[in-house]
Amino acid sequence: MKVCLLKGLDIKEVRTFRLHVTFSFIDGMIRGALLLNEYVFIKSLKGTSYQLSFLFQSSVIVLLLSVIFNELIYRTVRKRRMLRRAGFLTHFPLLILMFFPRSAEIYTANPMYHYIFLFVFFTYYLSYPIVLPTINLFLKNAYSKDNFGRLYGISTSVRQIMMMVFILFFGLLLDNDQFSFTYIFPVLGVLGFFSIVLFSWIEYTPKLLPQFEQGFIQAVLSSFKKMVHILKTNKSYLDFQVAYMFYGFSFMSTKSVINIFYDEALSLNYSSVAFYQNAYNVLAIIMLPFFGRLIGKIDPRKFTVIPFISMAGYIAFTGLSEIIPWHVSLWNIEIYFMLIIATIFFGFFNATMILSWNIGSSYFGSNEQAGDYQSIHLFATGLRGALAPIIGIALYEWFGFSWTFGVAVFMLFVAIGILRWSFKNR
């Protein structure tokens, strides 16, 4: 098996692949733990709903900095050192959680711990616009064009498998000890930094030295001007982004509210939440190859209707689980029939949204413009991430779960209408 995987690779690719798989293994553990991060905050730390919205916001709002960080990465000559420093500064604050108390009463009485928790994870999420693009840059440089897709796919599978295994392990651990996050996250922080250091050992030889025709600030401003010009001249892409704004409001406004719903309306334990997270991931992995072939055959506006409908089904059936609370208990897992249907919808959503979100933008311009189009997409994601989560919490606080979910489903159908109109008329 080992010989088969490494067949046709040169020494540089073999070494890169081993380091890449090691990184993906550890990254999968971290991503698995982070899937329960918001639930830990409300169930174990007793955080408030508005604080919870900021925890989710911090994972998205950092994308507003992507244009700045992309220019910074481009201009940095010693990229290995930059990668290690970024890894250290964003991962080691997780060690602060080792000193958190193991008492729910202390968290209720002293909100200082909530703000420290939020700061620690905001710092961690800052690694996304720095570490992830640099990693992709190293891989594109080290893997040949023929082997890139295959090796990247294998490493991604390793990451997904570890993510599913670790979320289940972490859920069981939290049900046994709700304060186990005080040592799990610090250990993952150290492992994450170690994996980034290992990754930085990949041989990186830039094909071209960066040319600085403009100053840093001028280059960033030029990027924003280019983004505005694309949206003005490419009306189909503008429609695509407007539809995504409505979808993004729906998804981001309900993300934290659904975690509150799990706790307050259904009283789910950690193992149950981990079960549903794993179930939709398994479904997504099974369906990805089919939808991967489909997106190459139809217009991305037509394809993106599928994840939008799926998200509407997920939100609607999640809300119905309180109205129709049929469920059974199996191995300490609360299986709600409405949540099973919602999970199936969410599996379809994940299998299709990962394709539409990552590569949908590239269909609207030439190959040379793909980076510019994706920059617009990332910036718009960060922009709606700055507003939607807190608006969703406000809707929940004022009107309750039903109205919040209803508004979100309505927004998704508006987004679907925009895509259908654009596909027919542009």
Side-chain angles (χ1 to χ4, degrees), residues 234 236-237 240 291-301 303-304 355-356 358-367 369-370 373-374:
N234 192 331
S236 295
Y237 187 59
F240 187 70
F291 286 116
R293 290 191 294 270
L294 181 63
I295 194 173
K297 297 178 181 178
I298 64 175
D299 188 287
R301 289 167 293 179
F303 179 87
T304 304
L355 296 168
S356 175
N358 283 308
I359 62 177
S361 295
S362 63
Y363 285 86
F364 291 92
S366 65
N367 291 339
Q369 294 176 307
Y373 277 73
Q374 191 64 6

PDB file of all heavy atoms in Angstrom, residues 234 236-237 240 291-301 303-304 355-356 358-367 369-370 373-374:
ATOM      1  N   ASN A 234     -18.760  42.758 -14.191  1.00  0.00           N
ATOM      2  CA  ASN A 234     -19.243  41.381 -14.351  1.00  0.00           C
ATOM      3  C   ASN A 234     -20.549  41.229 -13.576  1.00  0.00           C
ATOM      4  O   ASN A 234     -20.559  40.858 -12.395  1.00  0.00           O
ATOM      5  CB  ASN A 234     -18.184  40.394 -13.841  1.00  0.00           C
ATOM      6  CG  ASN A 234     -18.492  38.954 -14.252  1.00  0.00           C
ATOM      7  OD1 ASN A 234     -19.652  38.586 -14.413  1.00  0.00           O
ATOM      8  ND2 ASN A 234     -17.461  38.150 -14.407  1.00  0.00           N
ATOM      9  N   SER A 236     -23.018  39.091 -13.811  1.00  0.00           N
ATOM     10  CA  SER A 236     -23.368  37.731 -13.380  1.00  0.00           C
ATOM     11  C   SER A 236     -22.693  37.407 -12.052  1.00  0.00           C
ATOM     12  O   SER A 236     -23.291  36.807 -11.155  1.00  0.00           O
ATOM     13  CB  SER A 236     -22.931  36.713 -14.442  1.00  0.00           C
ATOM     14  OG  SER A 236     -23.645  36.906 -15.637  1.00  0.00           O
ATOM     15  N   TYR A 237     -21.426  37.826 -11.933  1.00  0.00           N
ATOM     16  CA  TYR A 237     -20.699  37.571 -10.688  1.00  0.00           C
ATOM     17  C   TYR A 237     -21.262  38.430  -9.552  1.00  0.00           C
ATOM     18  O   TYR A 237     -21.311  37.980  -8.395  1.00  0.00           O
ATOM     19  CB  TYR A 237     -19.211  37.848 -10.873  1.00  0.00           C
ATOM     20  CG  TYR A 237     -18.379  37.436  -9.678  1.00  0.00           C
ATOM     21  CD1 TYR A 237     -18.371  36.111  -9.239  1.00  0.00           C
ATOM     22  CD2 TYR A 237     -17.621  38.368  -8.977  1.00  0.00           C
ATOM     23  CE1 TYR A 237     -17.625  35.722  -8.147  1.00  0.00           C
ATOM     24  CE2 TYR A 237     -16.865  37.990  -7.875  1.00  0.00           C
ATOM     25  CZ  TYR A 237     -16.876  36.672  -7.467  1.00  0.00           C
ATOM     26  OH  TYR A 237     -16.136  36.293  -6.377  1.00  0.00           O
ATOM     27  N   PHE A 240     -24.193  36.648  -8.260  1.00  0.00           N
ATOM     28  CA  PHE A 240     -23.723  35.509  -7.477  1.00  0.00           C
ATOM     29  C   PHE A 240     -23.362  35.959  -6.059  1.00  0.00           C
ATOM     30  O   PHE A 240     -23.733  35.313  -5.059  1.00  0.00           O
ATOM     31  CB  PHE A 240     -22.508  34.901  -8.177  1.00  0.00           C
ATOM     32  CG  PHE A 240     -22.001  33.609  -7.581  1.00  0.00           C
ATOM     33  CD1 PHE A 240     -22.737  32.439  -7.699  1.00  0.00           C
ATOM     34  CD2 PHE A 240     -20.772  33.559  -6.939  1.00  0.00           C
ATOM     35  CE1 PHE A 240     -22.258  31.236  -7.176  1.00  0.00           C
ATOM     36  CE2 PHE A 240     -20.284  32.374  -6.418  1.00  0.00           C
ATOM     37  CZ  PHE A 240     -21.032  31.213  -6.533  1.00  0.00           C
ATOM     38  N   PHE A 291     -20.986  15.248  -6.701  1.00  0.00           N
ATOM     39  CA  PHE A 291     -21.209  16.677  -6.908  1.00  0.00           C
ATOM     40  C   PHE A 291     -19.971  17.361  -7.488  1.00  0.00           C
ATOM     41  O   PHE A 291     -20.086  18.389  -8.156  1.00  0.00           O
ATOM     42  CB  PHE A 291     -21.626  17.344  -5.596  1.00  0.00           C
ATOM     43  CG  PHE A 291     -23.043  17.023  -5.191  1.00  0.00           C
ATOM     44  CD1 PHE A 291     -23.306  16.308  -4.033  1.00  0.00           C
ATOM     45  CD2 PHE A 291     -24.107  17.425  -5.975  1.00  0.00           C
ATOM     46  CE1 PHE A 291     -24.601  16.010  -3.663  1.00  0.00           C
ATOM     47  CE2 PHE A 291     -25.416  17.131  -5.617  1.00  0.00           C
ATOM     48  CZ  PHE A 291     -25.666  16.416  -4.456  1.00  0.00           C
ATOM     49  N   GLY A 292     -18.784  16.785  -7.226  1.00  0.00           N
ATOM     50  CA  GLY A 292     -17.564  17.312  -7.828  1.00  0.00           C
ATOM     51  C   GLY A 292     -17.601  17.218  -9.344  1.00  0.00           C
ATOM     52  O   GLY A 292     -17.135  18.117 -10.049  1.00  0.00           O
ATOM     53  N   ARG A 293     -18.171  16.127  -9.853  1.00  0.00           N
ATOM     54  CA  ARG A 293     -18.317  15.980 -11.315  1.00  0.00           C
ATOM     55  C   ARG A 293     -19.422  16.890 -11.846  1.00  0.00           C
ATOM     56  O   ARG A 293     -19.319  17.446 -12.932  1.00  0.00           O
ATOM     57  CB  ARG A 293     -18.632  14.518 -11.670  1.00  0.00           C
ATOM     58  CG  ARG A 293     -17.458  13.563 -11.459  1.00  0.00           C
ATOM     59  CD  ARG A 293     -17.727  12.203 -12.071  1.00  0.00           C
ATOM     60  NE  ARG A 293     -18.822  11.515 -11.392  1.00  0.00           N
ATOM     61  CZ  ARG A 293     -18.664  10.703 -10.353  1.00  0.00           C
ATOM     62  NH1 ARG A 293     -17.455  10.503  -9.848  1.00  0.00           N
ATOM     63  NH2 ARG A 293     -19.697  10.096  -9.797  1.00  0.00           N
ATOM     64  N   LEU A 294     -20.483  17.082 -11.037  1.00  0.00           N
ATOM     65  CA  LEU A 294     -21.636  17.858 -11.490  1.00  0.00           C
ATOM     66  C   LEU A 294     -21.308  19.339 -11.645  1.00  0.00           C
ATOM     67  O   LEU A 294     -21.748  19.982 -12.596  1.00  0.00           O
ATOM     68  CB  LEU A 294     -22.797  17.683 -10.498  1.00  0.00           C
ATOM     69  CG  LEU A 294     -24.107  18.408 -10.841  1.00  0.00           C
ATOM     70  CD1 LEU A 294     -24.690  17.874 -12.146  1.00  0.00           C
ATOM     71  CD2 LEU A 294     -25.113  18.249  -9.704  1.00  0.00           C
ATOM     72  N   ILE A 295     -20.514  19.906 -10.717  1.00  0.00           N
ATOM     73  CA  ILE A 295     -20.250  21.344 -10.758  1.00  0.00           C
ATOM     74  C   ILE A 295     -19.482  21.748 -12.012  1.00  0.00           C
ATOM     75  O   ILE A 295     -19.565  22.883 -12.469  1.00  0.00           O
ATOM     76  CB  ILE A 295     -19.489  21.827  -9.487  1.00  0.00           C
ATOM     77  CG1 ILE A 295     -19.546  23.357  -9.400  1.00  0.00           C
ATOM     78  CG2 ILE A 295     -18.054  21.326  -9.474  1.00  0.00           C
ATOM     79  CD1 ILE A 295     -18.980  23.935  -8.124  1.00  0.00           C
ATOM     80  N   GLY A 296     -18.743  20.814 -12.601  1.00  0.00           N
ATOM     81  CA  GLY A 296     -18.004  21.123 -13.818  1.00  0.00           C
ATOM     82  C   GLY A 296     -18.872  21.133 -15.063  1.00  0.00           C
ATOM     83  O   GLY A 296     -18.432  21.548 -16.132  1.00  0.00           O
ATOM     84  N   LYS A 297     -20.133  20.698 -14.914  1.00  0.00           N
ATOM     85  CA  LYS A 297     -21.010  20.564 -16.084  1.00  0.00           C
ATOM     86  C   LYS A 297     -22.102  21.624 -16.162  1.00  0.00           C
ATOM     87  O   LYS A 297     -22.720  21.778 -17.208  1.00  0.00           O
ATOM     88  CB  LYS A 297     -21.657  19.175 -16.075  1.00  0.00           C
ATOM     89  CG  LYS A 297     -20.658  18.027 -16.188  1.00  0.00           C
ATOM     90  CD  LYS A 297     -21.363  16.683 -16.118  1.00  0.00           C
ATOM     91  CE  LYS A 297     -20.362  15.525 -16.204  1.00  0.00           C
ATOM     92  NZ  LYS A 297     -21.034  14.213 -16.090  1.00  0.00           N
ATOM     93  N   ILE A 298     -22.386  22.313 -15.044  1.00  0.00           N
ATOM     94  CA  ILE A 298     -23.480  23.288 -15.063  1.00  0.00           C
ATOM     95  C   ILE A 298     -23.001  24.635 -14.514  1.00  0.00           C
ATOM     96  O   ILE A 298     -21.976  24.722 -13.832  1.00  0.00           O
ATOM     97  CB  ILE A 298     -24.705  22.796 -14.251  1.00  0.00           C
ATOM     98  CG1 ILE A 298     -24.356  22.642 -12.760  1.00  0.00           C
ATOM     99  CG2 ILE A 298     -25.237  21.497 -14.799  1.00  0.00           C
ATOM    100  CD1 ILE A 298     -25.549  22.269 -11.902  1.00  0.00           C
ATOM    101  N   ASP A 299     -23.765  25.663 -14.824  1.00  0.00           N
ATOM    102  CA  ASP A 299     -23.459  27.009 -14.359  1.00  0.00           C
ATOM    103  C   ASP A 299     -23.432  27.029 -12.821  1.00  0.00           C
ATOM    104  O   ASP A 299     -24.305  26.443 -12.176  1.00  0.00           O
ATOM    105  CB  ASP A 299     -24.536  27.972 -14.870  1.00  0.00           C
ATOM    106  CG  ASP A 299     -24.206  29.430 -14.603  1.00  0.00           C
ATOM    107  OD1 ASP A 299     -24.298  29.850 -13.431  1.00  0.00           O
ATOM    108  OD2 ASP A 299     -23.853  30.142 -15.566  1.00  0.00           O
ATOM    109  N   PRO A 300     -22.432  27.704 -12.203  1.00  0.00           N
ATOM    110  CA  PRO A 300     -22.345  27.717 -10.739  1.00  0.00           C
ATOM    111  C   PRO A 300     -23.564  28.333 -10.057  1.00  0.00           C
ATOM    112  O   PRO A 300     -23.875  27.986  -8.918  1.00  0.00           O
ATOM    113  CB  PRO A 300     -21.079  28.547 -10.460  1.00  0.00           C
ATOM    114  CG  PRO A 300     -20.805  29.284 -11.712  1.00  0.00           C
ATOM    115  CD  PRO A 300     -21.307  28.427 -12.820  1.00  0.00           C
ATOM    116  N   ARG A 301     -24.272  29.245 -10.745  1.00  0.00           N
ATOM    117  CA  ARG A 301     -25.484  29.811 -10.162  1.00  0.00           C
ATOM    118  C   ARG A 301     -26.568  28.742 -10.047  1.00  0.00           C
ATOM    119  O   ARG A 301     -27.295  28.684  -9.044  1.00  0.00           O
ATOM    120  CB  ARG A 301     -25.977  30.981 -11.013  1.00  0.00           C
ATOM    121  CG  ARG A 301     -25.098  32.224 -10.923  1.00  0.00           C
ATOM    122  CD  ARG A 301     -25.433  33.232 -11.995  1.00  0.00           C
ATOM    123  NE  ARG A 301     -25.078  32.715 -13.323  1.00  0.00           N
ATOM    124  CZ  ARG A 301     -25.270  33.365 -14.459  1.00  0.00           C
ATOM    125  NH1 ARG A 301     -25.824  34.568 -14.434  1.00  0.00           N
ATOM    126  NH2 ARG A 301     -24.912  32.849 -15.615  1.00  0.00           N
ATOM    127  N   PHE A 303     -25.922  25.463  -9.901  1.00  0.00           N
ATOM    128  CA  PHE A 303     -25.421  24.473  -8.940  1.00  0.00           C
ATOM    129  C   PHE A 303     -25.639  24.952  -7.503  1.00  0.00           C
ATOM    130  O   PHE A 303     -26.011  24.170  -6.622  1.00  0.00           O
ATOM    131  CB  PHE A 303     -23.928  24.232  -9.184  1.00  0.00           C
ATOM    132  CG  PHE A 303     -23.305  23.237  -8.238  1.00  0.00           C
ATOM    133  CD1 PHE A 303     -23.335  21.883  -8.523  1.00  0.00           C
ATOM    134  CD2 PHE A 303     -22.697  23.662  -7.063  1.00  0.00           C
ATOM    135  CE1 PHE A 303     -22.768  20.966  -7.658  1.00  0.00           C
ATOM    136  CE2 PHE A 303     -22.122  22.751  -6.190  1.00  0.00           C
ATOM    137  CZ  PHE A 303     -22.155  21.402  -6.494  1.00  0.00           C
ATOM    138  N   THR A 304     -25.432  26.241  -7.236  1.00  0.00           N
ATOM    139  CA  THR A 304     -25.479  26.774  -5.879  1.00  0.00           C
ATOM    140  C   THR A 304     -26.890  26.786  -5.312  1.00  0.00           C
ATOM    141  O   THR A 304     -27.075  26.901  -4.088  1.00  0.00           O
ATOM    142  CB  THR A 304     -24.855  28.186  -5.849  1.00  0.00           C
ATOM    143  OG1 THR A 304     -23.514  28.103  -6.365  1.00  0.00           O
ATOM    144  CG2 THR A 304     -24.795  28.762  -4.449  1.00  0.00           C
ATOM    145  N   LEU A 355     -17.840  22.965  -2.558  1.00  0.00           N
ATOM    146  CA  LEU A 355     -17.451  23.129  -3.964  1.00  0.00           C
ATOM    147  C   LEU A 355     -17.827  24.527  -4.468  1.00  0.00           C
ATOM    148  O   LEU A 355     -17.015  25.210  -5.092  1.00  0.00           O
ATOM    149  CB  LEU A 355     -18.131  22.067  -4.820  1.00  0.00           C
ATOM    150  CG  LEU A 355     -17.724  20.620  -4.519  1.00  0.00           C
ATOM    151  CD1 LEU A 355     -18.673  19.650  -5.220  1.00  0.00           C
ATOM    152  CD2 LEU A 355     -16.293  20.355  -4.953  1.00  0.00           C
ATOM    153  N   SER A 356     -19.062  24.937  -4.191  1.00  0.00           N
ATOM    154  CA  SER A 356     -19.510  26.256  -4.651  1.00  0.00           C
ATOM    155  C   SER A 356     -18.678  27.366  -4.015  1.00  0.00           C
ATOM    156  O   SER A 356     -18.272  28.309  -4.686  1.00  0.00           O
ATOM    157  CB  SER A 356     -20.990  26.449  -4.301  1.00  0.00           C
ATOM    158  OG  SER A 356     -21.416  27.750  -4.626  1.00  0.00           O
ATOM    159  N   ASN A 358     -15.590  27.237  -2.634  1.00  0.00           N
ATOM    160  CA  ASN A 358     -14.158  27.228  -2.946  1.00  0.00           C
ATOM    161  C   ASN A 358     -13.836  27.493  -4.412  1.00  0.00           C
ATOM    162  O   ASN A 358     -12.836  28.146  -4.709  1.00  0.00           O
ATOM    163  CB  ASN A 358     -13.529  25.890  -2.525  1.00  0.00           C
ATOM    164  CG  ASN A 358     -13.307  25.814  -1.025  1.00  0.00           C
ATOM    165  OD1 ASN A 358     -12.706  26.698  -0.425  1.00  0.00           O
ATOM    166  ND2 ASN A 358     -13.805  24.761  -0.411  1.00  0.00           N
ATOM    167  N   ILE A 359     -14.657  26.969  -5.322  1.00  0.00           N
ATOM    168  CA  ILE A 359     -14.287  27.092  -6.738  1.00  0.00           C
ATOM    169  C   ILE A 359     -15.369  27.739  -7.602  1.00  0.00           C
ATOM    170  O   ILE A 359     -15.142  27.977  -8.780  1.00  0.00           O
ATOM    171  CB  ILE A 359     -13.902  25.720  -7.346  1.00  0.00           C
ATOM    172  CG1 ILE A 359     -15.092  24.748  -7.312  1.00  0.00           C
ATOM    173  CG2 ILE A 359     -12.711  25.132  -6.626  1.00  0.00           C
ATOM    174  CD1 ILE A 359     -14.790  23.413  -7.976  1.00  0.00           C
ATOM    175  N   GLY A 360     -16.530  28.043  -7.009  1.00  0.00           N
ATOM    176  CA  GLY A 360     -17.609  28.646  -7.798  1.00  0.00           C
ATOM    177  C   GLY A 360     -17.206  29.960  -8.433  1.00  0.00           C
ATOM    178  O   GLY A 360     -17.528  30.234  -9.595  1.00  0.00           O
ATOM    179  N   SER A 361     -16.462  30.791  -7.685  1.00  0.00           N
ATOM    180  CA  SER A 361     -16.062  32.111  -8.186  1.00  0.00           C
ATOM    181  C   SER A 361     -15.177  32.019  -9.419  1.00  0.00           C
ATOM    182  O   SER A 361     -15.210  32.897 -10.284  1.00  0.00           O
ATOM    183  CB  SER A 361     -15.324  32.883  -7.091  1.00  0.00           C
ATOM    184  OG  SER A 361     -16.189  33.164  -6.019  1.00  0.00           O
ATOM    185  N   SER A 362     -14.378  30.956  -9.503  1.00  0.00           N
ATOM    186  CA  SER A 362     -13.401  30.843 -10.594  1.00  0.00           C
ATOM    187  C   SER A 362     -14.068  30.686 -11.957  1.00  0.00           C
ATOM    188  O   SER A 362     -13.440  30.918 -12.988  1.00  0.00           O
ATOM    189  CB  SER A 362     -12.458  29.661 -10.339  1.00  0.00           C
ATOM    190  OG  SER A 362     -13.184  28.438 -10.336  1.00  0.00           O
ATOM    191  N   TYR A 363     -15.342  30.313 -12.006  1.00  0.00           N
ATOM    192  CA  TYR A 363     -16.038  30.107 -13.282  1.00  0.00           C
ATOM    193  C   TYR A 363     -16.411  31.421 -13.966  1.00  0.00           C
ATOM    194  O   TYR A 363     -16.752  31.439 -15.137  1.00  0.00           O
ATOM    195  CB  TYR A 363     -17.307  29.271 -13.066  1.00  0.00           C
ATOM    196  CG  TYR A 363     -17.038  27.811 -12.838  1.00  0.00           C
ATOM    197  CD1 TYR A 363     -16.757  27.326 -11.576  1.00  0.00           C
ATOM    198  CD2 TYR A 363     -17.055  26.894 -13.892  1.00  0.00           C
ATOM    199  CE1 TYR A 363     -16.504  25.978 -11.357  1.00  0.00           C
ATOM    200  CE2 TYR A 363     -16.809  25.543 -13.690  1.00  0.00           C
ATOM    201  CZ  TYR A 363     -16.538  25.097 -12.414  1.00  0.00           C
ATOM    202  OH  TYR A 363     -16.288  23.774 -12.200  1.00  0.00           O
ATOM    203  N   PHE A 364     -16.357  32.532 -13.225  1.00  0.00           N
ATOM    204  CA  PHE A 364     -16.836  33.798 -13.766  1.00  0.00           C
ATOM    205  C   PHE A 364     -15.751  34.620 -14.446  1.00  0.00           C
ATOM    206  O   PHE A 364     -16.039  35.660 -15.040  1.00  0.00           O
ATOM    207  CB  PHE A 364     -17.482  34.627 -12.655  1.00  0.00           C
ATOM    208  CG  PHE A 364     -18.773  34.057 -12.153  1.00  0.00           C
ATOM    209  CD1 PHE A 364     -18.791  33.199 -11.072  1.00  0.00           C
ATOM    210  CD2 PHE A 364     -19.973  34.365 -12.775  1.00  0.00           C
ATOM    211  CE1 PHE A 364     -19.984  32.660 -10.605  1.00  0.00           C
ATOM    212  CE2 PHE A 364     -21.166  33.835 -12.322  1.00  0.00           C
ATOM    213  CZ  PHE A 364     -21.178  32.976 -11.235  1.00  0.00           C
ATOM    214  N   GLY A 365     -14.495  34.198 -14.344  1.00  0.00           N
ATOM    215  CA  GLY A 365     -13.401  34.943 -14.971  1.00  0.00           C
ATOM    216  C   GLY A 365     -12.397  33.992 -15.591  1.00  0.00           C
ATOM    217  O   GLY A 365     -12.569  32.769 -15.581  1.00  0.00           O
ATOM    218  N   SER A 366     -11.326  34.551 -16.132  1.00  0.00           N
ATOM    219  CA  SER A 366     -10.267  33.734 -16.734  1.00  0.00           C
ATOM    220  C   SER A 366      -9.432  33.078 -15.634  1.00  0.00           C
ATOM    221  O   SER A 366      -9.545  33.424 -14.455  1.00  0.00           O
ATOM    222  CB  SER A 366      -9.364  34.616 -17.605  1.00  0.00           C
ATOM    223  OG  SER A 366      -8.689  35.571 -16.802  1.00  0.00           O
ATOM    224  N   ASN A 367      -8.578  32.122 -16.016  1.00  0.00           N
ATOM    225  CA  ASN A 367      -7.707  31.456 -15.048  1.00  0.00           C
ATOM    226  C   ASN A 367      -6.818  32.452 -14.312  1.00  0.00           C
ATOM    227  O   ASN A 367      -6.554  32.316 -13.116  1.00  0.00           O
ATOM    228  CB  ASN A 367      -6.835  30.406 -15.749  1.00  0.00           C
ATOM    229  CG  ASN A 367      -7.650  29.230 -16.248  1.00  0.00           C
ATOM    230  OD1 ASN A 367      -8.758  28.993 -15.770  1.00  0.00           O
ATOM    231  ND2 ASN A 367      -7.123  28.501 -17.216  1.00  0.00           N
ATOM    232  N   GLN A 369      -7.527  35.421 -13.517  1.00  0.00           N
ATOM    233  CA  GLN A 369      -8.307  36.257 -12.600  1.00  0.00           C
ATOM    234  C   GLN A 369      -8.870  35.479 -11.411  1.00  0.00           C
ATOM    235  O   GLN A 369      -9.526  36.062 -10.544  1.00  0.00           O
ATOM    236  CB  GLN A 369      -9.473  36.906 -13.356  1.00  0.00           C
ATOM    237  CG  GLN A 369      -9.068  37.913 -14.414  1.00  0.00           C
ATOM    238  CD  GLN A 369     -10.290  38.414 -15.167  1.00  0.00           C
ATOM    239  OE1 GLN A 369     -11.095  37.645 -15.688  1.00  0.00           O
ATOM    240  NE2 GLN A 369     -10.444  39.735 -15.214  1.00  0.00           N
ATOM    241  N   ALA A 370      -8.635  34.168 -11.362  1.00  0.00           N
ATOM    242  CA  ALA A 370      -9.251  33.318 -10.332  1.00  0.00           C
ATOM    243  C   ALA A 370      -8.942  33.821  -8.929  1.00  0.00           C
ATOM    244  O   ALA A 370      -9.823  33.854  -8.047  1.00  0.00           O
ATOM    245  CB  ALA A 370      -8.783  31.873 -10.494  1.00  0.00           C
ATOM    246  N   TYR A 373     -11.034  36.972  -8.105  1.00  0.00           N
ATOM    247  CA  TYR A 373     -12.439  36.650  -7.858  1.00  0.00           C
ATOM    248  C   TYR A 373     -12.620  35.996  -6.486  1.00  0.00           C
ATOM    249  O   TYR A 373     -13.584  36.277  -5.771  1.00  0.00           O
ATOM    250  CB  TYR A 373     -12.977  35.727  -8.962  1.00  0.00           C
ATOM    251  CG  TYR A 373     -13.411  36.476 -10.201  1.00  0.00           C
ATOM    252  CD1 TYR A 373     -12.478  37.040 -11.064  1.00  0.00           C
ATOM    253  CD2 TYR A 373     -14.754  36.633 -10.509  1.00  0.00           C
ATOM    254  CE1 TYR A 373     -12.863  37.740 -12.200  1.00  0.00           C
ATOM    255  CE2 TYR A 373     -15.168  37.331 -11.647  1.00  0.00           C
ATOM    256  CZ  TYR A 373     -14.206  37.881 -12.489  1.00  0.00           C
ATOM    257  OH  TYR A 373     -14.613  38.574 -13.599  1.00  0.00           O
ATOM    258  N   GLN A 374     -11.691  35.111  -6.100  1.00  0.00           N
ATOM    259  CA  GLN A 374     -11.786  34.470  -4.793  1.00  0.00           C
ATOM    260  C   GLN A 374     -11.525  35.468  -3.666  1.00  0.00           C
ATOM    261  O   GLN A 374     -12.099  35.354  -2.581  1.00  0.00           O
ATOM    262  CB  GLN A 374     -10.799  33.294  -4.703  1.00  0.00           C
ATOM    263  CG  GLN A 374     -10.995  32.385  -3.480  1.00  0.00           C
ATOM    264  CD  GLN A 374     -12.345  31.667  -3.472  1.00  0.00           C
ATOM    265  OE1 GLN A 374     -13.118  31.734  -4.421  1.00  0.00           O
ATOM    266  NE2 GLN A 374     -12.644  30.994  -2.380  1.00  0.00           N
TER     267      GLN A 374
END
